[in-house]
Amino acid sequence: MMLMIKRILRKSPEDKQAQLEHERLTSLVNSMADGVLAIDENMEIVLSNGAALNILDVNSTLKGRRLGEVMYLEDRNKRKVDVEKLISGITTATTNRDLLLRYQDNSTLNLYLSIAPVHLGYGTAGQQGYVLLMRDITHEKSLEEERDEFISVVSHELRTPIAIAEGNISNALFIAEKTGDISQIKQALEEAHHQVVFLAEMINDLSTLSRAERGKLTVEVEDIDVPALIAELKTSYTPQATQKNLWLKAEVATDVKTLQSSSLYVREILQNFITNAIKYTEEGGVTIKAEPGQGGVRFLVIDTGIGISKGDQERIFDKFFRSEDYRTRKTNGTGLGLYVTMKLANLIHAEIDVQSELNKGSTFSCTLPIATEMVRH
Ligand code: ADP
């Protein structure tokens, strides 16, 4: 008798095969990184995987629930989108990268949603349904937005100096043909040259930035002769300061001698500080200092310039940030210098600090430990 029951219960080879297939499919769907939902004609969820629960932020099973109750969508202009209406109108597979998924707590994520009408094979024969694939693309979207912003800021910033340089060169050519007045030609070429130098600096910043972002910067540690470095910076920047009627002083404490770090990056950080100090100072001048600090060396660039408001001080190291102050806006700049500076400082374990008072001046400092284990790539 027992034997008979066992025989009856034993599955046929076809059943076993089907069960195996089913298990394989289930484990495949469950191991997918994308959220998967299968919906029947009545917009009820008939299948979901773990990733779908994660994306929709639910911890109970979704089976049997209506799609519209668990998925609140909005378009890119934050207008509500009825997901059930969206899906029922679809006859061929479609994808959408412009949707926002809104949660109960009002937070959102950027959703990639692919919808495919399918024959589900659930319920009555011939029942139609849909398979939805979902992916959180918030990170990609913010990268895309950042890239678009980057291109628009950079092209805007490049346009002005190119237009001025072009105008001056045309002018020089015109004068050469008409009057040949050398002093006027010289003046126009000097202005064009000035703009081209600025363009070169900007392209330098951009290329350092791109290398820093791709983690391609290497750190070569060497002995830096601090007094020599400060003297050299003073010599290089004196013409720029003099041109604006500013003084440029250098002060090195007697006990500051050598420092082990990346000469290239220390120089680049200080150059960024000095360029800004001269650029954002209208009266007075700039002091470059080196003194002992935190067991190492602290470099300071002190200016008597326009200063930075408390609110702006928190944002000046952000990518593209430029103060709204009209005195900042009348200068050329990309808002990348301090962002790059911070990246370089992190590479060489330097600490950057800013103290500033609006209309009084700013002090940017960079403190380097005497000898550090540098990050080598
Ligand atoms: P950029 O100079 O190209 O605008 P930075 O990243 O070097 O970009 O600086 C970001 C912003 O910080 C500047 O636009 C300016 O508003 C402010 N800033 C930087 N240095 C100074 C300074 N020494 N004095 C006043 N404002 C400064």
Side-chain angles (χ1 to χ4, degrees):
M1 185 63 182
M2 279 296 284
L3 200 73
M4 261 183 67
I5 293 172
K6 263 191 184 165
R7 274 209 191 115
I8 293 168
L9 287 179
R10 201 175 286 152
K11 289 189 173 139
S12 68
E14 290 79 21
D15 281 349
K16 268 192 175 169
Q17 189 60 32
Q19 190 185 351
L20 198 67
E21 278 301 310
H22 179 74
E23 279 168 13
R24 269 199 203 130
L25 274 176
T26 311
S27 88
L28 182 83
V29 169
N30 272 326
S31 64
M32 282 174 71
D34 286 349
V36 179
L37 288 180
I39 317 288
D40 69 14
E41 279 173 322
N42 305 317
M43 295 295 155
E44 263 181 27
I45 300 170
V46 289
L47 180 145
S48 64
N49 69 351
L53 297 184
N54 272 344
I55 292 183
L56 295 173
D57 197 28
V58 284
N59 44 22
S60 55
T61 176
L62 286 169
K63 199 167 176 177
R65 294 180 70 179
R66 274 195 80 102
L67 181 64
E69 286 168 12
V70 292
M71 200 189 247
Y72 307 102
L73 295 182
E74 287 174 11
D75 63 16
R76 66 165 95 186
N77 300 317
K78 304 225 161 73
R79 276 191 304 248
K80 202 170 171 319
V81 173
D82 183 335
V83 62
E84 295 186 2
K85 247 194 213 156
L86 175 82
I87 288 176
S88 56
I90 280 171
T91 50
T92 54
T94 50
T95 56
N96 195 323
R97 287 173 48 82
D98 290 321
L99 290 168
L100 287 175
L101 179 65
R102 190 167 287 282
Y103 293 106
Q104 300 279 352
D105 66 0
N106 249 345
S107 60
T108 54
L109 66 73
N110 290 92
L111 187 73
Y112 163 90
L113 182 64
S114 150
I115 307 161
V118 286
H119 172 77
L120 278 176
Y122 288 95
T124 53
Q127 189 178 20
Q128 294 295 306
Y130 305 90
V131 167
L132 272 56
L133 270 188
M134 301 177 289
R135 192 180 308 149
D136 176 0
I137 53 164
T138 311
H139 183 62
E140 285 96 318
K141 276 279 173 187
S142 76
L143 287 181
E144 279 169 26
E145 275 164 22
E146 205 171 89
R147 191 198 54 205
D148 291 349
E149 189 191 352
F150 185 83
I151 293 172
S152 100
V153 171
V154 169
S155 49
H156 175 259
E157 291 299 326
L158 291 175
R159 210 176 294 134
T160 316
I162 288 175
I164 301 175
E166 198 274 329
N168 277 290
I169 293 170
S170 312
N171 207 11
L173 285 173
F174 180 78
I175 301 165
E177 266 174 26
K178 294 287 168 204
T179 63
D181 181 337
I182 289 295
S183 75
Q184 274 187 315
I185 294 173
K186 215 174 137 217
Q187 201 184 345
L189 288 181
E190 265 167 11
E191 182 50 36
H193 180 242
H194 176 68
Q195 295 297 333
V196 172
V197 168
F198 169 74
L199 280 172
E201 274 169 18
M202 183 144 80
I203 286 163
N204 230 3
D205 258 6
L206 290 174
S207 103
T208 317
L209 172 68
S210 115
R211 280 181 297 134
E213 299 225 304
R214 281 182 287 133
K216 288 266 163 63
L217 291 179
T218 50
V219 178
E220 278 174 33
V221 180
E222 57 199 297
D223 282 343
I224 304 171
D225 179 342
V226 178
L229 171 68
I230 299 289
E232 191 194 311
L233 287 169
K234 182 176 180 245
T235 311
S236 320
Y237 284 92
T238 297
Q240 267 188 41
T242 314
Q243 219 176 22
K244 281 191 75 179
N245 280 329
L246 302 173
W247 42 258
L248 182 64
K249 281 193 262 185
E251 291 173 18
V252 182
T254 45
D255 44 349
V256 173
K257 300 275 187 282
T258 54
L259 170 73
Q260 279 197 318
S261 189
S262 157
S263 154
L264 189 70
Y265 300 156
V266 171
R267 187 186 302 260
E268 196 150 334
I269 292 170
L270 295 178
Q271 280 174 343
N272 278 340
F273 286 167
I274 301 167
T275 316
N276 280 345
I278 297 175
K279 189 154 89 175
Y280 301 115
T281 299
E282 293 174 334
E283 266 173 39
V286 176
T287 311
I288 316 167
K289 264 192 184 178
E291 59 184 34
Q294 285 183 20
V297 177
R298 175 176 295 122
F299 294 94
L300 298 126
V301 176
I302 307 160
D303 68 54
T304 59
I306 62 174
I308 307 162
S309 70
K310 282 272 173 285
D312 283 356
Q313 279 176 39
E314 286 170 17
R315 303 171 60 200
I316 51 174
F317 294 98
D318 292 352
K319 203 178 199 174
F320 299 125
F321 179 80
R322 302 203 75 212
S323 166
E324 292 295 337
D325 192 307
Y326 74 98
R327 293 166 297 182
T328 296
R329 293 297 157 144
K330 72 181 184 194
T331 65
N332 277 325
T334 52
L336 287 174
L338 289 180
Y339 177 77
V340 170
T341 300
M342 199 50 113
K343 292 242 165 208
L344 297 180
N346 287 339
L347 274 178
I348 57 171
H349 303 299
E351 209 174 280
I352 302 281
D353 186 48
V354 57
Q355 308 276 333
S356 184
E357 203 178 324
L358 212 51
N359 302 321
K360 293 251 167 72
S362 313
T363 298
F364 280 83
S365 72
C366 168
T367 311
L368 281 140
I370 210 84
T372 37
E373 268 297 303
M374 297 294 169
V375 185
R376 286 170 201 274
H377 291 275

